[in-house]
Amino acid sequence: MVTGHRALLCRGCAGNLYAVCTVDHSGGKAVGQWEVDHETPVPCPLSGLLPLTGTAASVHDLPGAEEVLGPPV
């Protein structure tokens, strides 16, 4: 769970998202393996993009994060 940050919201439905990160410190640079999804199952127009997974330094650096994370537009 991401702590010390604002709650993650889904752009599609404004539902709360969780983010889990496993950090690999080998190689001198900390890089996280992320999984982001709805906290509870909800009807969402972006459900095809979730769970959002990948490797990045920050949850906001994940490919597709700009399409999924943030308040609805």
Side-chain angles (χ1 to χ4, degrees):
M1 179 82 107
V2 176
T3 58
H5 298 279
R6 294 185 316 253
L8 294 174
L9 296 177
C10 176
R11 281 191 189 273
C13 67
N16 288 327
L17 301 171
Y18 71 81
V20 177
C21 179
T22 304
V23 178
D24 180 3
H25 292 282
S26 64
K29 185 175 181 184
V31 177
Q33 179 64 40
W34 292 91
E35 177 180 301
V36 180
D37 205 349
H38 289 102
E39 287 184 1
T40 57
V42 295
C44 177
L46 300 180
S47 62
L49 300 175
L50 294 163
L52 186 62
T53 60
T55 303
S58 162
V59 68
H60 297 283
D61 294 334
L62 284 169
E66 64 280 350
E67 297 171 33
V68 174
L69 303 179
V73 289

